[in-house]
Coordinates of all heavy atoms in Angstrom, one line a residue:
M8 N 137.0 111.9 141.8 CA 135.9 112.8 142.3 C 135.2 113.5 141.2 O 135.9 113.9 140.2 CB 136.5 113.8 143.3 CG 136.8 113.1 144.7 SD 137.4 114.4 145.9 CE 135.9 115.3 146.1
K9 N 133.9 113.8 141.4 CA 133.2 114.5 140.3 C 132.2 115.4 141.0 O 131.5 115.0 141.9 CB 132.6 113.5 139.3 CG 131.9 114.2 138.2 CD 131.6 113.2 137.1 CE 130.7 113.8 136.0 NZ 131.4 114.9 135.3
R10 N 132.0 116.6 140.4 CA 131.0 117.5 140.9 C 129.7 117.0 140.3 O 129.5 116.9 139.1 CB 131.3 118.9 140.5 CG 130.4 119.9 141.1 CD 130.7 121.3 140.7 NE 130.5 121.4 139.2 CZ 130.9 122.4 138.5 NH1 131.6 123.4 139.0 NH2 130.6 122.5 137.2
V11 N 128.6 116.9 141.1 CA 127.4 116.4 140.6 C 126.3 117.5 140.8 O 125.2 117.3 140.3 CB 126.9 115.1 141.3 CG1 127.9 114.0 140.9 CG2 126.8 115.2 142.8
F12 N 126.6 118.5 141.6 CA 125.5 119.5 141.9 C 126.2 120.8 142.3 O 127.2 120.8 143.0 CB 124.7 119.0 143.1 CG 123.5 119.9 143.4 CD1 122.3 119.9 142.7 CD2 123.7 120.9 144.4 CE1 121.3 120.7 143.0 CE2 122.6 121.8 144.7 CZ 121.4 121.7 144.0
S13 N 125.6 121.9 141.8 CA 126.1 123.2 142.3 C 125.0 124.2 142.3 O 124.0 124.1 141.6 CB 127.2 123.7 141.3 OG 126.7 123.9 140.1
S14 N 125.0 125.0 143.3 CA 124.0 126.0 143.5 C 124.5 127.2 144.3 O 125.4 127.0 145.1 CB 122.8 125.3 144.2 OG 121.8 126.3 144.6
Y15 N 123.9 128.3 144.1 CA 124.2 129.5 144.9 C 123.4 129.4 146.3 O 123.7 130.1 147.2 CB 123.8 130.8 144.2 CG 124.6 131.1 143.0 CD1 124.1 131.0 141.8 CD2 125.9 131.4 143.2 CE1 124.9 131.2 140.6 CE2 126.7 131.7 142.1 CZ 126.2 131.6 140.8 OH 127.0 131.8 139.7
N16 N 122.5 128.4 146.3 CA 121.7 128.2 147.5 C 122.3 127.1 148.3 O 122.3 125.9 148.0 CB 120.3 127.9 147.2 CG 119.4 127.8 148.4 OD1 119.8 127.5 149.5 ND2 118.1 128.1 148.2
L17 N 123.0 127.4 149.4 CA 123.7 126.4 150.3 C 122.7 125.4 150.8 O 123.1 124.2 151.0 CB 124.4 127.2 151.4 CG 125.4 126.3 152.2 CD1 126.4 125.7 151.3 CD2 126.1 127.2 153.3
V18 N 121.5 125.8 151.1 CA 120.5 124.9 151.6 C 120.2 123.8 150.6 O 120.1 122.6 150.9 CB 119.2 125.6 152.0 CG1 118.1 124.6 152.4 CG2 119.4 126.6 153.2
L19 N 120.1 124.2 149.3 CA 119.8 123.2 148.3 C 121.0 122.2 148.1 O 120.9 121.1 147.9 CB 119.6 123.9 147.0 CG 118.2 124.6 146.8 CD1 118.1 125.2 145.4 CD2 117.1 123.6 147.0
A20 N 122.2 122.8 148.3 CA 123.4 122.0 148.2 C 123.4 120.9 149.3 O 123.7 119.8 149.1 CB 124.7 122.8 148.2
H21 N 123.1 121.4 150.5 CA 123.1 120.4 151.6 C 122.0 119.4 151.5 O 122.1 118.3 151.8 CB 123.0 121.2 152.9 CG 124.3 121.6 153.4 ND1 125.2 120.8 154.0 CD2 124.9 122.8 153.4 CE1 126.3 121.5 154.3 NE2 126.1 122.7 154.0
H22 N 120.9 119.8 150.9 CA 119.8 118.9 150.6 C 120.2 117.8 149.7 O 120.0 116.6 149.9 CB 118.5 119.7 150.1 CG 117.4 118.8 149.7 ND1 116.8 117.9 150.6 CD2 116.8 118.5 148.5 CE1 115.9 117.2 150.0 NE2 115.9 117.6 148.7
A23 N 120.9 118.2 148.6 CA 121.4 117.3 147.6 C 122.3 116.3 148.3 O 122.3 115.1 148.1 CB 122.1 118.0 146.5
R24 N 123.2 116.9 149.1 CA 124.1 116.0 149.8 C 123.4 115.0 150.7 O 123.8 113.8 150.8 CB 125.0 116.9 150.7 CG 126.1 116.0 151.4 CD 126.8 116.8 152.5 NE 127.9 115.9 152.9 CZ 128.7 116.2 153.9 NH1 128.6 117.4 154.5 NH2 129.6 115.4 154.3
N25 N 122.4 115.5 151.4 CA 121.6 114.6 152.3 C 121.0 113.4 151.5 O 121.0 112.3 152.0 CB 120.5 115.3 153.0 CG 121.1 116.2 154.2 OD1 122.2 116.0 154.6 ND2 120.3 117.2 154.6
L26 N 120.4 113.7 150.3 CA 119.9 112.7 149.5 C 120.9 111.7 149.1 O 120.6 110.5 149.2 CB 119.3 113.3 148.2 CG 118.0 114.2 148.4 CD1 117.6 114.8 147.0 CD2 116.9 113.4 148.9
L27 N 122.1 112.1 148.8 CA 123.1 111.2 148.3 C 123.6 110.4 149.5 O 123.9 109.2 149.3 CB 124.3 112.0 147.7 CG 123.9 112.7 146.4 CD1 125.0 113.6 145.9 CD2 123.5 111.8 145.3
E28 N 123.8 111.0 150.6 CA 124.4 110.3 151.8 C 123.4 109.2 152.2 O 123.7 108.2 152.7 CB 124.7 111.3 152.9 CG 125.7 112.3 152.6 CD 127.2 111.8 152.9 OE1 127.3 111.0 153.9 OE2 128.1 112.3 152.3
A29 N 122.1 109.5 152.1 CA 121.0 108.6 152.4 C 121.1 107.3 151.6 O 120.6 106.3 152.0 CB 119.6 109.2 152.3
E30 N 121.7 107.5 150.4 CA 121.8 106.3 149.5 C 123.2 105.7 149.7 O 123.6 104.8 148.9 CB 121.7 106.8 148.0 CG 120.4 107.4 147.7 CD 119.3 106.3 147.6 OE1 119.6 105.2 147.2 OE2 118.1 106.7 147.9
G31 N 123.9 106.1 150.6 CA 125.2 105.5 150.9 C 126.3 106.0 150.0 O 127.4 105.4 149.9
I32 N 126.1 107.2 149.4 CA 127.1 107.8 148.5 C 127.9 108.8 149.3 O 127.3 109.7 149.8 CB 126.4 108.4 147.3 CG1 125.7 107.3 146.5 CG2 127.4 109.1 146.4 CD1 124.8 107.9 145.3
E33 N 129.2 108.7 149.3 CA 130.0 109.6 150.0 C 130.2 110.9 149.2 O 130.5 110.9 148.0 CB 131.4 109.0 150.3 CG 131.4 107.9 151.3 CD 132.8 107.5 151.6 OE1 133.4 106.7 150.9 OE2 133.4 108.0 152.6
T34 N 130.0 112.0 149.9 CA 130.0 113.3 149.2 C 130.8 114.3 150.1 O 131.1 114.1 151.2 CB 128.6 113.9 149.0 OG1 128.0 114.1 150.3 CG2 127.8 113.0 148.2
E35 N 131.1 115.4 149.4 CA 131.8 116.5 150.1 C 131.2 117.8 149.5 O 130.9 117.9 148.3 CB 133.3 116.4 149.7 CG 134.1 117.5 150.4 CD 135.6 117.3 150.0 OE1 136.1 116.2 150.3 OE2 136.1 118.2 149.4
V36 N 130.8 118.7 150.4 CA 130.3 120.0 150.0 C 131.5 121.0 150.0 O 132.2 121.1 151.0 CB 129.2 120.5 150.9 CG1 128.7 121.9 150.4 CG2 128.0 119.5 150.8
R37 N 131.7 121.7 148.9 CA 132.8 122.7 148.8 C 132.3 124.1 148.6 O 131.1 124.3 148.2 CB 133.7 122.3 147.6 CG 134.4 121.0 147.7 CD 135.3 120.9 146.5 NE 136.1 119.6 146.5 CZ 136.9 119.3 145.6 NH1 137.1 120.1 144.6 NH2 137.6 118.2 145.7
N38 N 133.2 125.0 148.9 CA 132.9 126.4 148.7 C 131.8 127.0 149.6 O 131.3 128.0 149.3 CB 132.4 126.7 147.2 CG 133.6 126.7 146.2 OD1 134.7 126.5 146.6 ND2 133.3 126.9 145.0
Q39 N 131.6 126.3 150.7 CA 130.6 126.8 151.6 C 130.9 128.1 152.2 O 130.1 129.0 152.3 CB 130.4 125.8 152.8 CG 130.0 124.4 152.3 CD 129.8 123.5 153.5 OE1 128.9 123.8 154.3 NE2 130.6 122.5 153.6
L40 N 132.2 128.3 152.6 CA 132.6 129.5 153.2 C 132.6 130.7 152.2 O 132.3 131.8 152.6 CB 133.9 129.4 153.8 CG 134.0 128.4 155.0 CD1 135.4 128.2 155.5 CD2 133.0 128.8 156.1
L41 N 132.9 130.4 151.0 CA 132.9 131.5 150.0 C 131.5 132.1 149.7 O 131.4 133.2 149.3 CB 133.5 130.9 148.7 CG 135.0 130.6 148.7 CD1 135.5 130.1 147.4 CD2 135.8 131.8 149.1
S42 N 130.5 131.3 150.0 CA 129.2 131.8 149.8 C 128.9 133.1 150.5 O 128.2 134.0 150.1 CB 128.1 130.7 150.2 OG 128.2 129.6 149.4
S43 N 129.5 133.2 151.7 CA 129.3 134.4 152.5 C 130.1 135.6 152.0 O 129.8 136.7 152.4 CB 129.8 134.1 154.0 OG 131.1 133.8 154.0
A44 N 131.0 135.3 151.0 CA 131.7 136.4 150.4 C 131.1 136.9 149.1 O 131.7 137.6 148.4 CB 133.2 136.0 150.2
M45 N 129.9 136.4 148.9 CA 129.2 136.8 147.6 C 129.3 138.3 147.4 O 129.0 139.1 148.3 CB 127.8 136.3 147.7 CG 127.0 136.5 146.4 SD 127.2 135.1 145.3 CE 126.0 134.0 146.1
G46 N 129.6 138.7 146.2 CA 129.7 140.1 146.0 C 131.1 140.6 145.9 O 131.4 141.6 145.3
E47 N 132.0 139.9 146.5 CA 133.4 140.2 146.5 C 134.2 139.3 145.6 O 135.3 139.6 145.2 CB 134.0 140.2 147.9 CG 133.4 141.1 148.9 CD 133.9 140.9 150.3 OE1 134.9 140.3 150.4 OE2 133.1 141.3 151.2
L48 N 133.6 138.2 145.2 CA 134.3 137.3 144.3 C 133.4 137.0 143.1 O 132.2 137.3 143.2 CB 134.5 135.9 145.1 CG 135.4 136.0 146.2 CD1 135.3 134.7 147.1 CD2 136.9 136.1 145.7
P49 N 134.0 136.6 142.0 CA 133.1 136.3 140.9 C 132.1 135.2 141.2 O 132.4 134.3 142.0 CB 134.2 135.7 139.9 CG 135.5 136.2 140.3 CD 135.4 136.4 141.8
P50 N 130.9 135.3 140.7 CA 129.8 134.4 141.1 C 130.2 132.9 141.0 O 129.8 132.1 141.8 CB 128.7 134.7 140.1 CG 129.0 136.1 139.8 CD 130.5 136.3 139.8
T51 N 131.0 132.6 140.0 CA 131.4 131.2 139.8 C 132.2 130.7 140.9 O 132.4 129.5 141.1 CB 132.2 131.0 138.5 OG1 133.2 131.9 138.4 CG2 131.2 131.2 137.3
E52 N 132.8 131.6 141.7 CA 133.7 131.2 142.8 C 132.8 131.0 144.1 O 133.3 130.6 145.1 CB 134.8 132.2 143.1 CG 135.7 132.4 141.9 CD 136.5 131.1 141.6 OE1 136.9 130.4 142.5 OE2 136.6 130.8 140.4
C53 N 131.6 131.4 144.0 CA 130.8 131.4 145.2 C 129.7 130.3 145.3 O 129.0 130.2 146.3 CB 130.0 132.7 145.4 SG 131.2 134.1 145.5
Q54 N 129.6 129.5 144.2 CA 128.6 128.4 144.3 C 129.0 127.4 145.3 O 130.2 127.0 145.4 CB 128.5 127.8 142.9 CG 127.7 128.6 141.9 CD 127.2 127.8 140.7 OE1 128.0 127.0 140.3 NE2 126.1 128.1 140.3
A55 N 128.0 126.8 146.0 CA 128.2 125.6 146.8 C 128.2 124.4 145.8 O 127.3 124.4 145.0 CB 127.2 125.5 147.9
E56 N 129.1 123.6 146.0 CA 129.2 122.4 145.1 C 129.2 121.1 145.9 O 129.8 121.0 147.0 CB 130.6 122.4 144.3 CG 130.7 123.7 143.5 CD 132.0 123.8 142.8 OE1 133.0 123.1 143.3 OE2 132.1 124.4 141.8
V57 N 128.5 120.1 145.3 CA 128.5 118.8 145.9 C 129.3 117.9 145.1 O 129.1 117.8 143.9 CB 127.1 118.3 146.1 CG1 127.1 116.9 146.7 CG2 126.2 119.2 146.9
W58 N 130.3 117.3 145.7 CA 131.2 116.4 144.9 C 131.0 114.9 145.4 O 130.9 114.7 146.7 CB 132.7 116.8 145.2 CG 133.1 118.0 144.5 CD1 132.6 119.3 144.8 CD2 133.9 118.2 143.4 NE1 133.2 120.2 143.9 CE2 134.0 119.6 143.0 CE3 134.7 117.3 142.6 CZ2 134.8 120.0 142.0 CZ3 135.5 117.8 141.6 CH2 135.5 119.1 141.3
V59 N 131.0 114.0 144.5 CA 130.9 112.6 144.9 C 132.4 112.1 144.9 O 133.2 112.3 144.0 CB 130.1 111.8 143.8 CG1 130.3 110.3 144.0 CG2 128.6 112.2 144.0
L60 N 132.7 111.4 146.0 CA 134.1 111.0 146.3 C 134.5 109.9 145.4 O 135.6 109.8 144.9 CB 134.3 110.6 147.7 CG 134.0 111.7 148.8 CD1 134.5 111.3 150.1 CD2 134.6 113.1 148.4
N61 N 133.6 108.9 145.2 CA 134.0 107.7 144.4 C 133.3 107.8 143.0 O 132.1 107.9 142.9 CB 133.5 106.5 145.1 CG 134.1 106.3 146.5 OD1 135.3 106.4 146.6 ND2 133.3 106.1 147.5
D62 N 134.2 107.7 142.0 CA 133.7 107.9 140.6 C 132.6 106.8 140.3 O 131.7 107.1 139.5 CB 134.8 107.8 139.6 CG 135.7 109.0 139.6 OD1 135.2 110.0 140.2 OD2 136.8 109.0 139.1
E63 N 132.7 105.6 140.9 CA 131.7 104.6 140.5 C 130.3 104.9 141.0 O 129.3 104.4 140.6 CB 132.2 103.2 141.0 CG 132.4 103.1 142.5 CD 133.8 103.4 142.9 OE1 134.5 104.2 142.2 OE2 134.3 102.7 143.9
D64 N 130.2 105.9 142.0 CA 128.9 106.3 142.5 C 128.3 107.4 141.7 O 127.1 107.7 141.9 CB 129.1 106.8 143.9 CG 129.4 105.7 144.9 OD1 129.0 104.5 144.6 OD2 130.0 105.9 146.0
V65 N 129.0 108.0 140.8 CA 128.6 109.1 140.0 C 127.3 108.9 139.3 O 126.3 109.7 139.4 CB 129.7 109.7 139.1 CG1 129.1 110.8 138.2 CG2 130.8 110.3 140.0
P66 N 127.2 107.8 138.5 CA 125.9 107.6 137.7 C 124.7 107.5 138.7 O 123.6 108.0 138.4 CB 126.2 106.3 137.0 CG 127.7 106.2 136.9 CD 128.2 106.8 138.1
R67 N 124.9 106.8 139.8 CA 123.8 106.6 140.7 C 123.5 108.0 141.4 O 122.3 108.3 141.6 CB 124.3 105.6 141.8 CG 123.2 104.9 142.6 CD 123.6 103.6 143.1 NE 124.8 103.7 143.9 CZ 124.8 103.8 145.3 NH1 123.6 103.8 145.9 NH2 125.9 103.8 146.0
A68 N 124.5 108.8 141.6 CA 124.3 110.1 142.2 C 123.4 110.9 141.3 O 122.4 111.6 141.8 CB 125.6 110.8 142.5
F69 N 123.7 110.9 140.0 CA 122.8 111.7 139.1 C 121.4 111.2 139.1 O 120.4 112.0 139.0 CB 123.4 111.7 137.7 CG 124.5 112.7 137.5 CD1 125.8 112.3 137.2 CD2 124.3 114.0 137.6 CE1 126.9 113.2 137.0 CE2 125.3 115.0 137.5 CZ 126.6 114.5 137.2
G70 N 121.3 109.9 139.2 CA 119.9 109.3 139.3 C 119.2 109.8 140.5 O 118.0 110.1 140.4
V71 N 119.8 109.8 141.6 CA 119.2 110.3 142.9 C 118.8 111.7 142.7 O 117.7 112.1 143.1 CB 120.2 110.1 144.1 CG1 119.6 110.8 145.3 CG2 120.4 108.6 144.3
L72 N 119.6 112.5 142.1 CA 119.4 114.0 142.1 C 118.3 114.3 141.0 O 117.7 115.4 141.1 CB 120.7 114.7 141.7 CG 121.7 114.7 142.8 CD1 123.0 115.4 142.4 CD2 121.2 115.3 144.1
R73 N 118.1 113.4 140.1 CA 117.0 113.7 139.1 C 115.6 113.3 139.6 O 114.7 113.6 138.9 CB 117.4 112.9 137.8 CG 118.4 113.6 137.0 CD 118.3 113.1 135.5 NE 119.6 113.5 134.8 CZ 120.6 112.6 134.7 NH1 120.4 111.4 135.1 NH2 121.7 112.9 134.1
R74 N 115.6 112.6 140.7 CA 114.2 112.2 141.2 C 113.4 113.5 141.4 O 113.9 114.5 141.9 CB 114.4 111.5 142.5 CG 114.7 110.0 142.4 CD 114.8 109.4 143.8 NE 115.6 108.2 143.8 CZ 116.2 107.7 144.9 NH1 116.0 108.3 146.0 NH2 116.9 106.7 144.8
P75 N 112.1 113.4 141.0 CA 111.3 114.6 141.3 C 111.1 114.7 142.8 O 111.0 113.7 143.5 CB 109.9 114.2 140.6 CG 110.0 112.7 140.5 CD 111.4 112.3 140.4
P76 N 111.1 116.0 143.2 CA 110.9 116.2 144.7 C 109.5 115.7 145.1 O 108.5 115.8 144.4 CB 111.0 117.7 144.8 CG 110.7 118.2 143.5 CD 111.1 117.2 142.5
P77 N 109.4 115.2 146.3 CA 108.1 114.8 146.8 C 107.2 116.0 147.0 O 107.6 117.1 147.3 CB 108.4 114.1 148.2 CG 109.8 114.5 148.5 CD 110.5 115.0 147.3
S78 N 105.9 115.7 146.7 CA 105.0 116.8 146.9 C 104.3 116.7 148.2 O 104.3 115.6 148.8 CB 104.0 116.8 145.7 OG 103.3 115.5 145.7
G79 N 103.6 117.7 148.6 CA 102.9 117.7 149.9 C 103.0 119.0 150.6 O 103.7 119.9 150.1
P80 N 102.4 119.1 151.7 CA 102.4 120.3 152.4 C 103.8 120.6 153.1 O 104.6 119.6 153.3 CB 101.4 120.2 153.5 CG 101.3 118.7 153.7 CD 101.7 118.0 152.4
E81 N 104.1 121.8 153.4 CA 105.2 122.1 154.3 C 105.0 121.5 155.6 O 103.9 121.2 156.1 CB 105.4 123.6 154.4 CG 105.8 124.3 153.1 CD 106.3 125.7 153.4 OE1 105.7 126.3 154.3 OE2 107.2 126.2 152.7
W82 N 106.1 121.2 156.3 CA 106.0 120.7 157.7 C 106.7 121.7 158.6 O 107.5 122.5 158.2 CB 106.6 119.3 157.8 CG 108.0 119.3 157.3 CD1 108.5 119.1 156.0 CD2 109.2 119.3 158.1 NE1 109.8 119.1 156.0 CE2 110.3 119.2 157.2 CE3 109.5 119.4 159.5 CZ2 111.6 119.2 157.7 CZ3 110.8 119.4 160.0 CH2 111.8 119.3 159.1
I83 N 106.2 121.7 159.9 CA 106.7 122.7 160.9 C 107.7 122.0 161.8 O 107.4 120.9 162.3 CB 105.5 123.2 161.7 CG1 104.5 123.8 160.8 CG2 106.0 124.3 162.7 CD1 105.0 125.0 159.9
C84 N 108.8 122.5 161.9 CA 109.9 122.0 162.8 C 109.4 122.0 164.3 O 108.9 123.0 164.8 CB 111.1 122.8 162.7 SG 112.4 122.2 163.8
A85 N 109.6 120.8 164.9 CA 109.2 120.7 166.3 C 110.2 121.4 167.2 O 109.9 121.8 168.4 CB 109.1 119.2 166.7
G86 N 111.4 121.6 166.7 CA 112.4 122.3 167.5 C 112.3 123.8 167.5 O 112.4 124.4 168.6
C87 N 112.1 124.4 166.3 CA 112.2 125.8 166.3 C 111.0 126.5 165.6 O 110.9 127.7 165.6 CB 113.5 126.3 165.6 SG 113.5 125.9 163.8
G88 N 110.1 125.7 165.1 CA 108.8 126.2 164.6 C 108.9 126.7 163.1 O 108.0 127.3 162.6
E89 N 110.1 126.5 162.5 CA 110.2 127.0 161.1 C 109.6 126.0 160.1 O 109.7 124.8 160.3 CB 111.7 127.0 160.7 CG 112.4 128.3 161.1 CD 111.8 129.6 160.5 OE1 111.6 129.5 159.2 OE2 111.6 130.5 161.2
P90 N 108.8 126.5 159.1 CA 108.3 125.6 158.1 C 109.4 125.2 157.1 O 110.3 126.1 156.8 CB 107.2 126.5 157.4 CG 107.7 127.9 157.7 CD 108.5 127.9 159.0
S91 N 109.4 124.0 156.7 CA 110.3 123.5 155.7 C 109.5 122.9 154.5 O 108.4 122.4 154.7 CB 111.3 122.5 156.3 OG 112.2 123.1 157.2
G92 N 110.1 122.8 153.3 CA 109.4 122.2 152.2 C 109.4 120.7 152.4 O 110.1 120.1 153.2
P93 N 108.4 120.0 151.7 CA 108.2 118.6 151.9 C 109.4 117.7 151.5 O 109.5 116.6 151.9 CB 107.0 118.3 150.9 CG 107.0 119.4 149.9 CD 107.5 120.6 150.7
Q94 N 110.3 118.3 150.7 CA 111.4 117.5 150.2 C 112.5 117.4 151.3 O 113.5 116.6 151.1 CB 112.0 118.0 148.9 CG 112.7 119.3 149.0 CD 111.8 120.6 148.9 OE1 110.6 120.5 149.3 NE2 112.3 121.6 148.4
F95 N 112.4 118.2 152.3 CA 113.5 118.2 153.3 C 113.2 117.2 154.4 O 112.1 117.1 154.9 CB 113.6 119.6 153.9 CG 114.1 120.6 152.9 CD1 113.2 121.5 152.3 CD2 115.4 120.6 152.4 CE1 113.6 122.4 151.3 CE2 115.8 121.5 151.5 CZ 115.0 122.4 150.9
T96 N 114.2 116.5 154.8 CA 114.1 115.6 155.9 C 114.6 116.2 157.3 O 114.4 115.6 158.3 CB 114.9 114.3 155.7 OG1 116.3 114.6 155.4 CG2 114.3 113.6 154.4
H97 N 115.3 117.3 157.1 CA 115.8 118.0 158.3 C 115.4 119.5 158.2 O 115.2 120.0 157.2 CB 117.3 118.0 158.4 CG 117.9 116.6 158.7 ND1 117.8 115.6 157.8 CD2 118.5 116.1 159.8 CE1 118.4 114.5 158.3 NE2 118.8 114.8 159.5
C98 N 115.2 120.1 159.4 CA 114.9 121.5 159.5 C 116.1 122.3 158.9 O 117.3 122.0 159.2 CB 114.7 121.9 160.9 SG 114.5 123.7 161.1
W99 N 115.8 123.2 157.9 CA 116.9 123.9 157.3 C 117.6 124.9 158.3 O 118.7 125.3 158.2 CB 116.4 124.7 156.1 CG 115.4 125.8 156.5 CD1 114.0 125.6 156.5 CD2 115.6 127.1 156.8 NE1 113.4 126.8 156.9 CE2 114.4 127.7 157.1 CE3 116.8 127.9 157.0 CZ2 114.2 129.1 157.5 CZ3 116.6 129.2 157.4 CH2 115.4 129.8 157.6
K100 N 116.8 125.2 159.4 CA 117.3 126.3 160.3 C 118.1 125.7 161.4 O 119.2 126.1 161.7 CB 116.1 127.1 160.8 CG 116.5 128.3 161.6 CD 115.3 129.1 162.0 CE 115.7 130.4 162.7 NZ 114.5 131.1 163.2
C101 N 117.5 124.7 162.1 CA 118.2 124.2 163.3 C 118.7 122.8 163.1 O 119.4 122.3 164.0 CB 117.3 124.3 164.6 SG 116.0 123.0 164.6
G102 N 118.4 122.2 162.0 CA 118.9 120.8 161.7 C 118.2 119.7 162.4 O 118.6 118.5 162.3
A103 N 117.1 120.0 163.0 CA 116.3 118.9 163.7 C 115.7 118.0 162.6 O 115.4 118.4 161.5 CB 115.2 119.5 164.5
I104 N 115.7 116.7 163.0 CA 115.1 115.7 162.0 C 113.6 115.9 162.0 O 112.9 116.1 163.0 CB 115.5 114.3 162.5 CG1 117.0 114.1 162.4 CG2 114.7 113.2 161.7 CD1 117.5 112.8 163.0
R105 N 113.0 115.8 160.8 CA 111.6 115.9 160.6 C 110.9 114.8 161.4 O 111.2 113.6 161.4 CB 111.3 115.7 159.1 CG 109.8 115.8 158.8 CD 109.6 115.6 157.3 NE 108.2 115.8 157.0 CZ 107.8 115.8 155.7 NH1 108.6 115.7 154.7 NH2 106.5 115.9 155.5
A106 N 109.9 115.2 162.2 CA 109.1 114.3 163.0 C 107.7 114.1 162.2 O 107.0 115.0 161.9 CB 108.8 114.9 164.4
G107 N 107.4 112.8 162.1 CA 106.1 112.5 161.5 C 106.0 112.6 160.0 O 106.9 113.1 159.3
Ligands
LIG206 ZN1 114.1 123.7 163.4

C-alpha cells in the first residue's frame, strides 16, 4: 500500500479517491475521523490520506491525480441546490450524482 494523496480538505481527498476508483484503482481513505479533531492533535495527524491498496496501481494513480482539473462553470445539484466545482462528479454536500 502507498499513500498517493493527502489533504486537510476531506472533500478533496474524497474527490481524489473518486478519480482513482473511476479508473478501477482500489483505494482507502484514512484519518477521516481525525479531521474533526483538528486543533487537538498535531496537524500531521489530521490530514485525510488516500492510499492505493495495490502497489502496481501506484504509478497509474499518480498519473490520474496529475491530470489538470476540467474547466467550466460550476454546476448546481439537482438534489439539494448546492453549487459544486466542474471537477466534481458528485455533489459534495448530499452525494448526488451530477446530472447533465
Ligand atoms: Zn446535493
Side-chain angles (χ1 to χ4, degrees):
M8 285 184 66
K9 185 169 170 61
R10 188 182 64 190
V11 295
F12 183 86
S13 63
S14 172
Y15 293 109
N16 186 330
L17 191 56
V18 173
L19 288 180
H21 275 283
H22 175 58
R24 184 195 186 180
N25 286 340
L26 289 177
L27 296 173
E28 298 268 335
E30 298 289 327
I32 299 172
E33 287 187 278
T34 62
E35 183 178 302
V36 179
R37 293 185 179 180
N38 283 1
Q39 300 182 64
L40 295 178
L41 290 178
S42 295
S43 63
M45 187 88 79
E47 297 173 23
L48 293 166
T51 51
E52 300 298 320
C53 299
Q54 282 196 325
E56 299 175 338
V57 180
W58 289 70
V59 169
L60 302 190
N61 300 312
D62 285 347
E63 60 265 34
D64 287 335
V65 169
R67 203 153 55 93
F69 278 118
V71 170
L72 294 177
R73 281 203 198 94
R74 278 182 204 159
S78 59
E81 290 192 326
W82 54 280
I83 305 297
C84 175
C87 69
E89 275 299 316
S91 292
Q94 71 272 32
F95 295 104
T96 56
H97 290 69
C98 173
W99 64 269
K100 190 174 185 185
C101 74
I104 295 174
R105 178 180 184 173

